[in-house]
Amino acid sequence: MDFRKIGVLNALLVFVPVAIGLKFAGAPGMWVFIVSGIAIVPLAGLMGKSTEILADKLGAGWGGLLNATFGNAAELIIALFALHRGMIEVVKSSITGSILGNVLLVLGASFLAGGLKFSRQKFNSTAAGMSATLLALAAIGLVVPAMFHVHLELFHTKANEQSLSLEIAVVLFAVYVLMLIFSLVTHKHLYAGEHDNGPGDADGFATVEPHWSSKTALSVLVGATVFVALMSEFLVGSIEEARLAMGLTETFVGLIVVAIVGNAAEHSTAVLVALKNRMELSYHIAVGSALQIALFVAPVLVFAGYLPGFPRMNLVFSMLEVMAIVVSVMVVGLVAFDGESNWLEGLLLLAVYLILAIAFFNLPEPEAHENARAVIEQPAGMLCWILPDFDGDWLSHV
């Protein structure tokens, strides 16, 4: 197997031994964080390519299931390590960040890159609309727990929010399984044209000549997964020191940095196929990945909280994260409506992502809200005038 022909991203594999060396040499956490993050990118790409080859060998049914399972393996592995260390805010932010990154950053970059080369690109509006609708329904499962939490705070009541999150996670996971049955069994003809790319078409890893054998692909998948786990351990272990050194919050690190690192290989694939005027494939890579995050990764992380050594995680996101998810879902619906894209739409999607990133960058840590009570209690009279049914006591619980 000649790795020189696989693609330019493999040059980044040199960062794997560099990250290991830095870690065991006791280098500053910021450098371990940066280098291990870069190292995950080509490893995730190798996982994706080996999964594609195994999927072709196994046939549509099992191959599609394998693709779906390993489609977001890097993000899931990083999130599991972060959850095990108790970094629940980072984990939640990475879920939101992956959804935003796919439907705003990836789709926007694809529209922009493809639109600069082709004046107008088309994709199947019916299939795209179906994916957008599924994403909207999946987003409800992430929005409802936050609304439930706000309701409890406003009306001064208590309920088992962890149980609610678990039950919603079961529903989301069940929908994910049913979605696989729909796309791989009952209506697989609708998706027959989505993976018709030949060698060298899809990404920087897809120029292998000759094709890998099943044994080689399986070996690469196992090896890449092991090293992704190792790099994820380095990445997560250095987050605290790195974010303090760079002046970043846990929310921003999870939502922007970790999400981009985990999705980088898929990001490059979507942009490169858009440059080949295959916008339908690019669209389904972006939206399909967001669907997997909402329906598969998020529920699995909730389930993982019931394993020994893992803290419980719920699906209660901050109001800013909820707003960002709603905005991203609306955007998908808007761009899927006409089945066409151009560079200006891509630029606008990137602008929305940048605006949200700026908002999260300026969002203070939760601990910084300790003085919020004093700030809120000051205009208590005005709030009680707006909400006459309240006597103001609920403000002490904000």
Side-chain angles (χ1 to χ4, degrees):
M1 178 174 59
D2 190 356
F3 278 96
R4 292 174 299 178
K5 296 182 179 180
I6 294 176
V8 294
L9 284 181
N10 279 286
L12 298 178
L13 287 171
V14 70
F15 285 96
V16 175
V18 172
I20 296 174
L22 289 175
K23 178 66 175 179
F24 288 101
M30 184 176 70
W31 291 109
V32 176
F33 178 82
I34 293 173
V35 174
S36 58
I38 297 174
I40 289 174
V41 175
L43 290 170
L46 287 175
M47 289 178 66
K49 182 55 189 175
S50 58
T51 301
E52 278 183 32
I53 294 174
L54 289 172
D56 290 338
K57 303 287 185 180
L58 293 172
W62 285 102
L65 179 60
L66 187 66
N67 256 325
T69 303
F70 281 90
N72 288 284
E75 302 96 289
L76 180 58
I77 292 172
I78 295 173
L80 285 172
F81 275 103
L83 182 62
H84 187 264
R85 285 178 173 264
M87 298 179 178
I88 297 178
E89 288 304 315
V90 172
V91 175
K92 288 184 179 180
S93 299
S94 68
I95 294 173
T96 306
S98 292
I99 295 175
L100 300 183
N102 279 293
V103 300
L104 295 178
L105 178 62
V106 179
L107 206 56
S110 300
F111 282 3
L112 178 61
L116 291 175
K117 188 173 181 180
F118 305 95
S119 60
R120 186 177 66 174
Q121 293 182 296
K122 295 185 177 182
F123 50 88
N124 189 316
S125 59
T126 302
M130 182 184 300
S131 297
T133 302
L134 284 172
L135 183 60
L137 296 175
I140 292 174
L142 303 180
V143 172
V144 167
M147 298 296 99
F148 185 81
H149 178 76
V150 171
H151 177 87
L152 295 181
E153 291 291 324
L154 287 176
F155 290 94
H156 218 5
T157 56
K158 295 182 179 180
N160 192 338
E161 295 182 72
Q162 183 63 42
S163 177
L164 173 75
S165 294
L166 178 61
E167 291 161 5
I168 291 178
V170 171
V171 173
L172 292 176
F173 192 81
V175 171
Y176 178 73
V177 173
L178 294 174
M179 185 183 72
L180 291 181
I181 295 174
F182 179 85
S183 60
L184 301 178
V185 182
T186 64
H187 290 72
K188 60 183 179 182
H189 59 281
L190 296 177
Y191 302 87
E194 292 179 14
H195 305 288
D196 57 351
N197 51 295
D201 283 352
D203 52 47
F205 293 89
T207 57
V208 184
E209 296 177 358
H211 282 300
W212 295 349
S213 65
S214 297
K215 184 178 180 180
T216 300
L218 182 60
S219 300
V220 171
L221 178 61
V222 172
T225 302
V226 170
F227 278 105
V228 164
L230 181 62
M231 294 299 104
S232 298
E233 169 66 15
F234 292 172
L235 180 79
V236 172
S238 57
I239 281 180
E240 190 65 20
E241 184 179 346
R243 76 171 188 84
L244 291 175
M246 294 184 284
L248 302 176
T249 64
E250 282 191 352
T251 299
F252 184 83
V253 169
L255 195 137
I256 303 296
V257 181
V258 173
I260 289 178
V261 167
N263 288 279
E266 275 183 329
H267 293 182
S268 63
T269 301
V271 173
L272 288 171
V273 297
L275 287 171
K276 298 178 184 295
N277 201 24
R278 302 180 62 195
M279 185 49 68
E280 184 168 354
L281 176 59
S282 181
Y283 177 92
H284 285 292
I285 288 174
V287 179
S289 182
L291 271 172
Q292 286 185 353
I293 293 294
L295 297 177
F296 176 70
V297 175
V300 167
L301 290 171
V302 174
F303 300 153
Y306 290 84
L307 296 176
F310 284 85
R312 298 285 172 86
M313 191 193 88
N314 57 38
L315 294 176
V316 179
F317 294 87
S318 70
M319 294 308 298
L320 186 58
E321 288 176 302
V322 168
M323 181 273 294
I325 292 174
V326 171
V327 167
S328 65
V329 170
M330 289 174 57
V331 165
V332 172
L334 290 173
V335 300
F337 179 72
D338 60 356
E340 295 184 2
S341 65
N342 53 63
W343 67 266
L344 182 58
E345 284 185 336
L347 191 63
L348 293 174
L349 291 178
L350 292 175
V352 174
Y353 183 79
L354 181 60
I355 290 170
L356 292 174
I358 291 172
F360 282 105
F361 178 78
N362 288 282
L363 187 70
E365 289 281 10
E367 292 79 9
H369 293 286
E370 289 179 358
N371 296 324
R373 182 181 304 173
V375 176
I376 294 176
E377 286 177 351
Q378 202 170 19
M382 181 184 67
L383 289 176
C384 290
W385 177 76
I386 296 173
L387 301 172
D389 292 336
F390 291 97
D391 58 8
D393 291 341
W394 68 279
L395 290 169
S396 63
H397 297 273
V398 176

